[in-house]
Amino acid sequence: MKKKLYDFGMVGLGVMGRNFLLNVADNGYSAIGLDKDEKQVLAFANEAAGKQATGTTDAKTFVNSLKTPRKIMMLVPAGKIVDYVIADLVEHLDPGDLLMDGGNSFFVDTDRRLADLKEKKILYLGVGVSGGAEGARLGPSIMPGGSKQAYNKVKKILAAVSAKVNDEPCVAYMGNGSAGNYVKMVHNGIEYAMMQLLAESYDILKHVGGLDNEALQKAYTKYNRGRLKSFLVEITASIFGQADELSKASLIDMILDKAKQKGTGKWTSQNAMDFGIPTPTIDAAVTMRGISSLKAERIKASNILAVKTTKTKIEQKKIVKIVGEALHFAFIVAYTQGLALLAEASKEKDYKLDLEATARIWRGGCIIRASLLEDIRSAYAEQPELANLMVDERFAKALKTSQKGLRSTLKLAIDAGIPTMAFSSALAYFDAYRQERLPLNLVQAQRDFFGSHTYERIDKAGSFHTEWK
Ligand code: 6PG
């Protein structure tokens, strides 16, 4: 009897891999999973009952059970594990087989793996997958990068499993090399910025506006009905309504204020620095995760440095309105910084990114999905070479209007001693970018004064040096 061969293989049957593979099976493709842990294989087999899907703990059986050329995705933690998995599989693979890394791998690692596997004639794609466990199961946003030939082999399957917006699949070929992982990294940088902005808005609404959790839930629900409509605002509203099972409090008030991170936000900031692209709101978000983790130091400092904050009596309706404007402004700025970085990375790394397609596939399935992305998509459709989203006519208008709300919000927060690292950085970025002249002529003068580093003049071409007195 002829052995049954499967259409698609998944390595790593943790919740992400398991859900993605169930999604593949639901779309009519037969699917096989590989995991070293038998418990995970059993869990998958249970959930996949009745579908054309199975699992194994053996790499050779797994590879030999796939139709050739094979299509295999790995959803395992980023880092060394990906290299171990590749080493494990590669001895059983044939030239022309395709391996995909669906984790949050560092793009430099993807470049290296691509080069190694090219020698072995194995096709390789670095695939950004966003949407968490639910997204993987019901439809994530998918950002594949690598060779177009490799992408064409899985284009149909990826389109079938991805989220849809107006019937359009949230997947598109991102570009050459590690483009997929790079775009996903920047997606996460924007995610960090939006999350930090929401955290700051919560601090202000709670401590300046005096909103309790019920009022907070109402405020974010209202935001989510308007132009701030987005996944992150929606879940923020739900969080304020969640009761704690272990105490009588709301769960939010029982969660320790130390935010962890796996690295994608930090990589975004580091790489933005390397490419000379300012992303201060993403940097601020990474910095705030760092400050949050200094809990013991903060407890000590709160005794030494504490300032008594006076609660401003401001009508709740008014503060909800201005904080909403502040969020609208700063969300636009967060996307602006991420997309400006992508535009530069596309040149530096020769990715040939299509920013319209990027905004399009971020409209659904991913963590930063938001109604704003439809306008962002249109902006890049009309001007593919747009240097900075803030100068697009519709966003310039939106920023000019919402800036008032952000300025008022910041004045209240600063007077109350509430940290606004992300909000402040968003406004400062806007104020700096729109200045024809900045005071950095002084920095040039100082550099030349102490280090003879020379300066340029506004009236003559060339480099100048002065013997400063
Ligand atoms: C996504 C998320 C996902 C993950 C983050 C969390 O797009 O589905 O971004 O990739 O939840 O990487 O990152 P931190 O642990 O660094 O917050």
Side-chain angles (χ1 to χ4, degrees):
M1 206 174 77
K2 223 170 146 208
K3 195 179 152 201
K4 168 153 180 66
L5 293 176
Y6 293 85
D7 298 315
F8 191 92
M10 174 67 72
V11 186
L13 294 176
V15 63
M16 284 295 289
R18 198 153 77 217
N19 280 358
F20 196 101
L21 200 55
L22 290 168
N23 184 355
V24 168
D26 279 345
N27 278 285
Y29 296 95
S30 56
I32 180 164
L34 169 69
D35 200 295
K36 288 253 177 305
D37 183 349
E38 204 168 346
K39 273 197 230 113
Q40 303 280 44
V41 175
L42 284 175
F44 173 69
N46 269 337
E47 281 186 68
K51 302 185 203 296
Q52 283 195 67
T54 189
T56 173
T57 54
D58 182 59
K60 193 171 171 195
T61 311
F62 170 75
V63 171
N64 289 337
S65 303
L66 283 159
K67 282 181 195 158
T68 56
R70 300 177 179 90
K71 300 174 187 77
I72 300 171
M73 180 175 272
M74 301 175 285
L75 263 167
V76 297
K80 283 205 168 71
I81 298 180
V82 178
D83 292 308
Y84 298 146
V85 170
I86 295 175
D88 226 21
L89 292 175
V90 94
E91 57 178 313
H92 308 296
L93 296 178
D94 294 310
D97 286 348
L98 167 61
L99 261 184
M100 289 168 274
D101 176 10
N104 281 329
S105 285
F106 188 38
F107 68 94
V108 177
D109 290 335
T110 300
D111 284 330
R112 169 177 54 79
R113 291 168 189 145
L114 261 164
D116 287 353
L117 289 163
K118 198 171 177 187
E119 277 180 23
K120 300 186 170 75
K121 299 197 164 43
I122 305 291
L123 299 172
Y124 194 74
L125 291 171
V127 185
V129 177
S130 176
E134 197 181 294
R137 183 70 187 88
L138 302 173
S141 173
I142 309 179
M143 296 151 246
S147 81
K148 192 81 190 262
Q149 179 208 357
Y151 172 67
N152 285 338
K153 289 190 190 294
V154 277
K155 196 176 164 177
K156 259 178 118 175
I157 302 186
L158 296 183
V161 301
S162 72
K164 311 285 177 305
V165 172
N166 308 330
D167 285 336
E168 288 177 290
C170 292
V171 58
Y173 173 66
M174 294 285 99
N176 300 321
S178 51
N181 291 116
Y182 199 97
V183 172
K184 177 62 192 346
M185 175 188 82
V186 174
H187 164 286
N188 282 24
I190 298 171
E191 171 187 302
Y192 272 51
M194 292 173 75
M195 290 166 78
Q196 177 60 27
L197 290 163
L198 285 163
E200 290 176 12
S201 67
Y202 151 54
D203 214 6
I204 297 163
L205 288 173
K206 181 172 168 149
H207 293 112
V208 181
L211 275 76
D212 61 13
N213 290 327
E214 203 188 326
L216 285 164
Q217 186 183 15
K218 282 193 186 132
Y220 288 93
T221 303
K222 192 168 173 218
Y223 290 152
N224 199 44
R225 288 201 195 104
R227 59 192 178 174
L228 288 172
K229 188 172 171 48
S230 56
F231 172 72
L232 285 169
V233 171
E234 183 190 329
I235 64 164
T236 301
S238 305
I239 286 168
F240 291 115
Q242 184 85 35
D244 180 25
E245 284 175 0
L246 304 176
S247 72
K248 289 199 174 103
S250 291
L251 181 52
I252 185 69
D253 296 324
M254 301 307 291
I255 295 178
L256 188 66
D257 54 338
K258 273 169 82 171
K260 302 261 163 78
Q261 49 184 320
K262 292 200 212 77
T264 44
K266 182 183 76 179
W267 296 340
T268 308
S269 288
Q270 285 174 327
N271 206 249
M273 291 273 176
D274 287 345
F275 287 168
I277 297 297
T279 55
T281 310
I282 297 171
D283 308 347
V286 179
T287 299
M288 282 308 295
R289 290 205 191 184
I291 296 182
S292 84
S293 66
L294 304 175
K295 179 78 178 178
E297 286 181 42
R298 287 193 285 119
I299 292 173
K300 268 194 207 152
S302 71
N303 292 316
I304 302 165
L305 302 170
V307 209
K308 210 170 171 282
T309 56
T310 40
K311 226 180 216 166
T312 326
K313 263 286 148 234
I314 174 162
E315 211 194 323
Q316 286 197 356
K317 218 172 143 192
K318 175 146 190 248
I319 194 158
V320 170
K321 182 173 178 288
I322 61 168
V323 169
E325 282 172 16
L327 280 170
H328 181 241
F329 181 102
F331 278 3
I332 295 172
V333 169
Y335 287 115
T336 297
Q337 293 173 9
L339 287 158
L341 174 58
L342 286 180
E344 182 61 23
S346 184
K347 290 184 216 147
E348 296 262 357
K349 303 268 307 163
D350 196 27
Y351 285 145
K352 301 196 169 57
L353 298 178
D354 173 349
L355 296 185
E356 193 246 321
T358 305
R360 172 159 48 81
I361 66 162
W362 283 352
R363 289 176 310 164
C366 66
I367 305 297
I368 63 168
R369 63 184 184 258
S371 58
L372 261 177
L373 279 157
E374 181 53 45
D375 280 343
I376 297 178
R377 188 202 63 75
S378 306
Y380 282 100
E382 288 156 23
Q383 307 164 76
E385 301 303 321
L386 186 64
N388 188 295
L389 189 63
M390 295 193 299
V391 299
D392 168 77
E393 211 179 310
R394 84 209 81 194
F395 285 108
K397 198 168 157 218
L399 289 169
K400 279 191 209 151
T401 313
S402 310
Q403 62 164 319
K404 291 188 209 93
L406 177 53
R407 287 183 201 279
S408 308
T409 300
L410 281 174
K411 281 178 207 156
L412 291 169
I414 288 165
D415 284 345
I418 290 171
T420 53
M421 194 88 77
F423 270 132
S424 305
S425 76
L427 185 62
Y429 175 81
F430 169 81
D431 280 339
Y433 191 78
R434 68 186 179 140
Q435 291 292 332
E436 192 192 330
R437 283 202 71 176
L438 287 170
L440 286 282
N441 47 338
L442 178 60
V443 172
Q444 280 297 78
Q446 290 160 337
R447 291 178 69 248
D448 191 57
F449 192 116
F450 62 66
S452 303
H453 295 297
T454 75
Y455 55 88
E456 290 171 290
R457 295 181 58 90
I458 58 171
D459 56 352
K460 280 189 177 79
S463 289
F464 294 85
H465 168 63
T466 297
E467 287 303 316
W468 298 85
K469 294 199 186 78

